[in-house]
Amino acid sequence: MANDKHKVKRVSQPVESQCSATSPHSFPFVPTDILSQLPSCVVWQLLSYLDTDSIVSLAGVNTTLRQLVIARFNLTMTLPITPSFANYLKQNPYSHNKSVLRLRISHLTPDYIKQDKMDHSSHVQQLPISKQLLLINLSSLTTLCLHLEQTDNVDISSYRLAFLALLQSTGVFKQLTKLHLTTFKSFLLNLLPENFGSNFMKDALSVDKLVITLSGEQSTKEKEENTEDYRKGLENFVSMVKARKFVLNIGNEPSNKKIVKILSNDYIQCFELVAPCNFQPKLKMSRVRELNMSTTGQNCPVQPASHQLGKCVLDWRMVRDGCPRLKVFGGVNVKEFKEMRVKKKKEQEFMKKVRARTVRVGKHKRRLRCGECEGCKKSNCGKCRNCKDMKMFGGKGTGRQACEGRKCQGMAGGKVEVKKQSQDTAREGLAKDIPKVPVVNWTKFILCSIK
């Protein structure tokens, strides 16, 4: 019996260390085929302890595990309800009671606008989107993708604001861990204090990861708005965000000229920015530790092909003072990035001296040899007048002139092709030191990030 008890203790210890939530050595959940050999009741119990990403990964291991996951959850659902899901509800009337993990909502329009299009659809599809939302089980919802398309219709815009208030009042925003909102620039004006403020989507700004995509398209109303409204709306929105991870995708700027913007926040720890090259805001984020950026390749202030980190999208000089806790900048450690900048500055100063071929000696400037022409590569002849004046050949050294056969063509005003080649290779070496900002295809950010 003592040996049996000892065996039980030895077996139970690793299980406790792996399952304890407070263990400092806990590892992420990695689904494998071995889980399909467990009883169904065990797998179902395991699903209650997993997050959404782990459940979705588990469903992709094999067919057996996918059937067990689908029997309990609706992995992804779209509102308005699609015809395929409406037909599925006819065959399985109680399937809407299964918990939805990820939800897409798009094409939000009032009922009287879409009434003509729903005459030949099923009864479920004819319900308003608000009723469809309350029909499904949202108890396990963690990810929401909300797409507010471009519109000039005032009724549609008011309906969408009311729908956001519905999501806020029903507690949908409060239980989310990830929210992807695709909208347009004029929408940010609704969040200004003199308008609605953040009351109708307060909890949406406090999710763990918030993704905001400002579409590159412009409505008629946006074209009439000035850059001051855009700046004011963007600065106000960023200051209200309380998410730990924040992703901001901006299709284009309303003007080709630089718009002075100050983005301030005291909650964001990881900030990812996708914007045109001339976005160039000033950041004041006291808690941000990781800062990544990508560019859409428009209006680069440096060179269209360079997209140099620290100058494209975000100017390092506008970031370093306002982000005291920053550790990673553009995928590079901040200490390494500073060393790169210092090295580049020294090399640039050296290249200026190489081009000018001068050095300062006291109060005077002294011209330097190129070191590449035929004259610089020759040795002293020892026979000319200048060589005989040199001390090495027994002279007094008062003339201080080079051998007549070693005249530098660069100092004489001639062209040296080898010298130009060396400068070009030096420039290539400078370009490789500091990495480039990656260029992305903007169209992929129009789509929802939920797959």
Side-chain angles (χ1 to χ4, degrees):
M1 291 295 292
N3 294 334
D4 293 340
K5 291 182 180 178
H6 184 63
K7 289 182 181 179
V8 171
K9 289 182 180 180
R10 292 182 61 184
V11 173
S12 62
Q13 284 178 356
V15 175
E16 291 177 358
S17 62
Q18 293 177 7
C19 296
S20 60
T22 58
S23 176
H25 304 290
S26 59
F27 298 96
F29 175 77
V30 180
T32 59
D33 290 329
I34 302 177
L35 296 174
S36 60
Q37 302 175 6
L38 297 175
S40 302
C41 59
V42 176
V43 178
W44 269 53
Q45 185 66 25
L46 179 63
L47 292 177
S48 60
Y49 296 103
L50 299 180
D51 58 354
T52 299
D53 294 335
S54 300
I55 294 175
V56 174
S57 301
L58 185 64
V61 173
N62 54 35
T63 306
T64 303
L65 291 175
R66 183 171 182 83
Q67 290 177 352
L68 290 173
V69 172
I70 293 178
R72 181 168 180 176
F73 298 105
N74 283 318
L75 296 181
T76 304
M77 192 170 178
T78 303
L79 292 182
I81 293 177
T82 59
S84 59
F85 187 77
N87 295 331
Y88 177 73
L89 283 178
K90 289 182 180 180
Q91 301 175 0
N92 304 277
Y94 296 100
S95 60
H96 70 278
N97 291 328
K98 293 189 296 184
S99 301
V100 179
L101 298 180
R102 301 176 298 178
L103 181 63
R104 293 191 187 108
I105 303 178
S106 60
H107 305 291
L108 284 173
T109 54
D111 300 331
Y112 73 90
I113 294 180
K114 64 179 183 178
Q115 187 174 5
D116 298 335
K117 301 179 182 180
M118 293 296 178
D119 292 339
H120 303 287
S121 59
S122 62
H123 175 69
V124 178
Q125 291 181 276
Q126 293 179 4
L127 293 175
I129 298 181
S130 57
K131 289 188 177 181
Q132 294 181 11
L133 179 70
L134 300 177
L135 179 66
I136 58 179
N137 186 355
L138 303 177
S139 60
S140 301
L141 181 67
T142 58
T143 307
L144 174 63
C145 182
L146 188 59
H147 192 179
L148 307 180
E149 300 86 356
Q150 294 285 349
T151 181
D152 293 328
N153 193 316
V154 180
D155 293 340
I156 295 178
S157 300
S158 301
Y159 178 81
R160 289 174 177 175
L161 294 177
F163 191 84
L164 291 174
L166 174 65
L167 296 176
Q168 171 69 26
S169 61
T170 53
V172 175
F173 285 145
K174 199 168 186 178
Q175 66 187 49
L176 296 178
T177 58
K178 179 180 179 182
L179 172 64
H180 187 167
L181 176 61
T182 302
T183 182
F184 41 94
K185 299 180 181 67
S186 60
F187 173 81
L188 301 180
L189 299 178
N190 296 313
L191 300 173
L192 291 174
E194 58 267 23
N195 295 331
F196 294 100
S198 62
N199 294 328
F200 63 94
M201 54 179 303
K202 182 178 180 181
D203 294 333
L205 303 174
S206 303
V207 297
D208 183 67
K209 183 175 182 179
L210 177 62
V211 183
I212 300 295
T213 299
L214 300 180
S215 176
E217 300 176 357
Q218 286 185 327
S219 62
T220 306
K221 182 179 179 181
E222 282 187 306
K223 292 179 181 179
E224 297 176 354
E225 293 175 352
N226 54 26
T227 57
E228 182 64 20
D229 292 336
Y230 163 71
R231 180 196 63 80
K232 190 185 300 183
L234 183 61
E235 290 180 350
N236 175 70
F237 179 79
V238 174
S239 64
M240 293 190 302
V241 174
K242 296 183 179 180
R244 186 175 63 90
K245 299 179 181 179
F246 180 50
V247 182
L248 179 61
N249 305 320
I250 299 179
N252 53 29
E253 292 275 82
S255 175
N256 293 331
K257 298 181 180 180
K258 182 180 177 180
I259 304 174
V260 180
K261 301 174 289 291
I262 302 177
L263 304 183
S264 304
N265 190 279
D266 296 327
Y267 297 92
I268 300 172
Q269 299 182 19
C270 181
F271 183 34
E272 183 177 347
L273 177 64
V274 180
C277 302
N278 64 338
F279 188 62
Q280 303 291 326
K282 183 177 182 180
L283 296 187
K284 290 185 178 180
M285 298 184 176
S286 59
R287 298 189 62 184
V288 67
R289 296 180 178 272
E290 184 176 354
L291 181 58
N292 296 311
M293 73 286 305
S294 303
T295 178
T296 57
Q298 302 174 8
N299 305 322
C300 187
V302 188
Q303 289 181 359
S306 63
H307 301 296
Q308 184 178 332
L309 181 65
K311 292 186 177 180
C312 182
V313 181
L314 287 175
D315 192 339
W316 170 248
R317 295 171 297 180
M318 308 295 285
V319 174
R320 59 188 178 186
D321 296 332
C323 304
R325 297 187 180 182
L326 187 63
K327 299 296 182 182
V328 180
F329 181 72
V332 182
N333 188 280
V334 172
K335 293 183 179 179
E336 296 178 1
F337 181 71
K338 290 180 179 179
E339 293 176 357
M340 291 179 184
R341 284 177 57 86
V342 172
K343 182 180 179 181
K344 186 184 180 210
K345 187 176 180 180
K346 291 181 178 179
E347 290 180 347
Q348 285 178 343
E349 292 177 354
F350 175 76
M351 289 302 300
K352 289 181 180 180
K353 294 179 180 180
V354 170
R355 296 188 190 100
R357 304 309 307 172
T358 59
V359 292
R360 183 173 293 277
V361 181
K363 297 181 180 180
H364 305 283
K365 289 185 178 180
R366 181 180 177 182
R367 300 180 67 187
L368 301 177
R369 290 176 170 270
C370 66
E372 301 289 346
C373 65
E374 295 181 0
C376 291
K377 293 180 180 179
K378 289 182 179 180
S379 58
N380 296 324
C381 65
K383 298 179 181 180
C384 65
R385 182 180 58 182
N386 294 337
C387 286
K388 291 180 180 180
D389 183 65
M390 297 179 186
K391 291 183 178 181
M392 62 185 300
F393 294 108
K396 295 182 179 180
T398 57
R400 296 183 180 180
Q401 296 295 321
C403 176
E404 293 180 356
R406 294 188 67 241
K407 295 291 184 180
C408 176
Q409 298 178 9
M411 295 177 69
K415 296 182 179 179
V416 184
E417 295 182 356
V418 181
K419 180 180 176 182
K420 291 183 178 180
Q421 292 177 1
S422 62
Q423 291 182 7
D424 293 338
T425 54
R427 290 192 190 99
E428 291 178 359
L430 285 175
K432 293 179 181 178
D433 289 339
I434 296 182
K436 295 182 179 180
V437 176
V439 181
V440 298
N441 186 8
W442 172 252
T443 55
K444 76 174 186 177
F445 290 102
I446 298 298
L447 302 176
C448 179
S449 60
I450 303 174
K451 300 180 180 179

